[in-house]
C-alpha cells in the first residue's frame, strides 16, 4: 500500500505551494550557486534548514493542518523532496541544513554530541558536508585512506562532497587501523586549521556546489569522534550503510521530481502532440506513477526497518534511469534545438544525469538489490 494518508496529503499540498517559489530562481542558482544566500527566507529553504533535526533537540516543527512534521521519516522526506525537486533540484540541494550528516549523527552520536551538532544548526542556517568518497576510490568506501591518528590528527582527502566550500561543519570518515572495523566517523569544523575545500565544476546540479576537501593534520578532539559508546562494528561502515538506506528513497524522490518536471514541461509547451507524441507521453506518465509507488514502498520499508535498504536501492536505480529517459524524451518531443530553445529543459537534462552519482551509481544499487534477492528480502 503506497497511498498517502491525510497528513501527508496536506503536507504535499503545502510543499507544492512553497515549491512555486523555487522555479523562478532555478536558472539563477544554476549560474551562480552562491545566489542561494539571497533566498534563505523562502519557506521551503527555511524548512530544509532544520529538516532531520529531532524534535527533542529543539527543532521547530512545520505545522500543516494541525499536524507537525520534522522530516525524520523517509516517507515524509520523499513527499517533500519530490515536490521541491519538481520545482528545482539544484536549489533544493543548495539549501542549508543537517542533510546526510544529520542522519548519521542521529545514528552514531551520544547525547552531548547531538546537542552540540544540532544546536549549531539551530543557531542560524548553516551548511553541512558528508566526507566519504576519496580520490581513486570511487565506490570502494571500505578502501578509504584518510587517517585519524591515535593523538587525534586527521589527514587525507575527500572528493565530490556537496556543499564542501560553504559548510561550517560536517562529518569525515577516517581509518584508525586496518580492516573494516578500523573506520570511524568524526565531526569536523571547517574553520579548523588544515581544512581546505575547493569547488569542482559540474555540468548539472550546480547548486550543490560539489567540492574537493584536503585535510592537512586537522586536530580532532576526542569528543568529536562519533560512536565511542558503541561497538566497533557499529561505528563505521555499518552506520554509513544505514544512513544511505534512510536517505536513498529521498534521492529517488529527487530523481522522480526531475522526471516529473520534464514531463509537465512538455505538456505545457506542446499544444497539440500527434498520436505518437500522446502515446509516448502516456507511457512516460505511467512510468512516473509506477516509480512513485516503488519509492513510497521503499520509504515505508526503511521507516519500518532502517537496516533493510534493498527496496531503497531498487527505487533509486529506477528513478535515476527514469529521470534521464524522461528528460531526453522531452527533448525529442520538443524537436531539434530543444535544449537551446528551452533553457529550463536543458537544465533538467543536465540535472538528471547528476542524480545518478548521488549515494551510489546504478551498478551499486543493482548489487544491493541482488544481495537482497539472494537473502530472500523480496519474498516471492
Amino acid at each position: 500500500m503506497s497511498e498517502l494518508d491525510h497528513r501527508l496529503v496536506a503536507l504535499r499540498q503545502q510543499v507544492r505551494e512553497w515549491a512555486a517559489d523555487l522555479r523562478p530562481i532555478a536558472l539563477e542558482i544554476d549560474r551562480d550557486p552562491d545566489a542561494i544566500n539571497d533566498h534563505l527566507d523562502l519557506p521551503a529553504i527555511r524548512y530544509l534548514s532544520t529538516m532531520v533535526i529531532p524534535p527533542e533537540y529543539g527543532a521547530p516543527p512545520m505545522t500543516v493542518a494541525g499536524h507537525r512534521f520534522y522530516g525524520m521519516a523517509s516517507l515524509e522526506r520523499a513527499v517533500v523532496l519530490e515536490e521541491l525537486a519538481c520545482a528545482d533540484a539544484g536549489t533544493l540541494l543548495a539549501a542549508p541544513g543537517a542533510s546526510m550528516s544529520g542522519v548519521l549523527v542521529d545514528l552514531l552520536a551520544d547525547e552531548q554530541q547531538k546537542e552540540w551538532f544540532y544546536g549549531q544548526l539551530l543557531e542560524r542556517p548553516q551548511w553541512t558536508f558528508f566526507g566519504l568518497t576519496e580520490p581513486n576510490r570511487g565506490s570502494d568506501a571500505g578502501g578509504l585512506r584518510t587517517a585519524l591518528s591515535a593523538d587525534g590528527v586527521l589527514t587525507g582527502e575527500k572528493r565530490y562532497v556537496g556543499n564542501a566550500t560553504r559548510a561550517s561543519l560536517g562529518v569525515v570518515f577516517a581509518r584508525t587501523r586496518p580492516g573494516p572495523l578500523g573506520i570511524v566517523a568524526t565531526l569536523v569544523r571547517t574553520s579548523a586549521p588544515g581544512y581546505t575545500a575547493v569547488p569542482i565544476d559540474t555540468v548539472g546540479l550546480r547548486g550543490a556546489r560539489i567540492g574537493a576537501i584536503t585535510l592537512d593534520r586537522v586536530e580532532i578532539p576526542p569528543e568529536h569522534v562519533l560512536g565511542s559508546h558503541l561497538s566497533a562494528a557499529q561505528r563505521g561502515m555499518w552506520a554509513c550503510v544505514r544512513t544511505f538506506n534512510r536517505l536513498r528513497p529521498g534521492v529517488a524522490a529527487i530523481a522522480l521530481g526531475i522526471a516529473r518536471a520534464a514531463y509537465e514541461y512538455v505538456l505545457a509547451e506542446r499544444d497539440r502532440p500527434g498520436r505518437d507524441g500522446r502515446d509516448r507521453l502516456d507511457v512516460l506518465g505511467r512510468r512516473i506513477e509506477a516509480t512513485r509507488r516503488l519509492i513510497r514502498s521503499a520509504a515505508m520499508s526503511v521507516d519500518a526497518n532502517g537496516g533493510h535498504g534493498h527496496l531503497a536501492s531498487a527505487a533509486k536505480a529506477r528513478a535515476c534511469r527514469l529521470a534521464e529517459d524522461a528528460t531526453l524524451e522531452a527533448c525529442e518531443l520538443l524537436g531539434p534545438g530543444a535544449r537551446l530553445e528551452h533553457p529550463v529543459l536543458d537544465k533538467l537534462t543536465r540535472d538528471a544525469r547528476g542524480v545518478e552519482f548521488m549515494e551510489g551509481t546504478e551498478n551499486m544499487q543493482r548489487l544491493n538489490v541482488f544481495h537482497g534477492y539472494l537473502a530472500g528480502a523480496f519474498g516471492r
Side-chain angles (χ1 to χ4, degrees):
M1 186 68 178
S2 58
E3 297 299 325
L4 301 179
D5 61 23
H6 68 283
R7 294 175 61 259
L8 293 176
V9 169
L11 173 65
R12 181 183 61 189
Q13 182 57 40
Q14 177 64 79
V15 175
R16 188 170 292 178
E17 294 175 11
W18 288 352
D21 295 332
L22 304 190
R23 292 190 181 95
I25 63 174
L27 295 177
E28 177 189 6
I29 300 297
D30 190 58
R31 288 189 298 267
D32 177 16
D34 287 337
I36 189 63
N37 289 292
D38 298 328
H39 305 286
L40 297 180
D41 60 337
L42 293 178
I45 303 301
R46 288 204 306 269
Y47 174 64
L48 290 170
S49 70
T50 59
M51 192 170 75
V52 307
I53 297 179
E56 58 266 32
Y57 297 99
M62 175 171 69
T63 303
V64 179
H67 303 291
R68 294 185 174 187
F69 299 95
Y70 295 91
M72 298 303 295
S74 291
L75 181 57
E76 180 184 324
R77 290 195 297 271
V79 170
V80 170
L81 296 178
E82 179 192 340
E83 296 302 326
L84 296 182
C86 187
D88 183 44
T91 304
L92 160 64
L93 295 173
S99 191
M100 294 180 69
S101 291
V103 174
L104 183 76
V105 166
D106 186 46
L107 282 170
L108 272 188
D110 60 29
E111 286 302 310
Q112 288 185 332
Q113 290 168 334
K114 290 178 182 180
E115 289 176 2
W116 180 84
F117 181 85
Y118 297 132
Q120 295 289 310
L121 298 181
L122 291 173
E123 287 182 359
R124 58 182 174 82
Q126 297 184 57
W127 287 266
T128 61
F129 72 91
F130 188 90
L132 176 64
T133 302
E134 297 187 356
N136 304 317
R137 289 281 166 248
S139 298
D140 181 19
L144 62 82
R145 293 181 176 177
T146 296
L148 179 67
S149 67
D151 56 351
V153 175
L154 188 64
T155 303
E157 295 178 275
K158 299 293 180 181
R159 288 292 184 275
Y160 314 117
V161 183
N163 294 315
T165 59
R166 55 190 172 198
S168 56
L169 68 162
V171 170
V172 169
F173 283 84
R175 183 173 294 285
T176 58
R177 64 180 188 275
L181 300 184
I183 297 175
V184 298
T186 68
L187 295 171
V188 176
R189 294 215 64 135
T190 60
S191 59
Y195 176 98
T196 57
V198 296
I200 297 174
D201 197 23
T202 59
V203 173
L205 298 176
R206 289 172 48 79
R209 186 50 72 83
I210 304 297
I213 295 173
T214 300
L215 303 156
D216 183 12
R217 297 188 59 79
V218 177
E219 294 187 7
I220 304 296
E223 61 271 20
H224 282 187
V225 178
L226 297 173
S228 298
H229 60 300
L230 302 172
S231 69
Q234 295 176 294
R235 296 176 196 165
M237 295 314 299
W238 175 88
C240 184
V241 168
R242 290 182 69 90
T243 297
F244 286 157
N245 288 348
R246 289 191 182 188
L247 293 174
R248 275 189 181 127
V251 176
I254 293 173
L256 177 65
I258 294 172
R260 195 181 111 202
Y263 170 74
E264 293 178 356
Y265 189 86
V266 174
L267 290 178
E269 291 292 323
R270 185 165 170 153
D271 296 330
R272 292 185 297 275
R275 179 178 179 83
D276 177 62
R278 290 196 302 272
D279 290 345
R280 291 166 70 177
L281 284 170
D282 286 345
V283 170
L284 185 56
R286 290 196 296 271
R287 286 183 65 189
I288 288 171
E289 178 57 31
T291 302
R292 180 181 293 115
R293 290 179 177 273
L294 175 59
I295 291 170
R296 290 179 183 173
S297 294
M300 288 187 287
S301 175
V302 168
D303 287 336
N305 188 333
H308 295 168
H310 312 299
L311 267 183
S313 284
K316 200 268 182 182
R318 178 177 290 186
C320 288
R321 174 55 54 192
L322 174 62
E324 292 198 57
D325 289 349
T327 51
L328 294 176
E329 185 90 334
C331 291
E332 289 186 15
L333 288 169
L334 290 179
R339 293 181 66 171
L340 295 176
E341 297 170 5
H342 302 274
V344 170
L345 182 56
D346 173 66
K347 180 183 184 301
L348 288 170
T349 306
R350 291 184 282 111
D351 289 348
R353 184 58 181 162
V355 183
E356 162 70 10
F357 301 98
M358 294 173 60
E359 297 189 25
T361 60
E362 184 175 354
N363 287 341
M364 296 301 299
Q365 309 310 325
R366 288 177 178 272
L367 283 172
N368 288 342
V369 172
F370 183 62
H371 290 158
Y373 174 76
L374 290 180
F378 296 109
R380 295 182 64 86

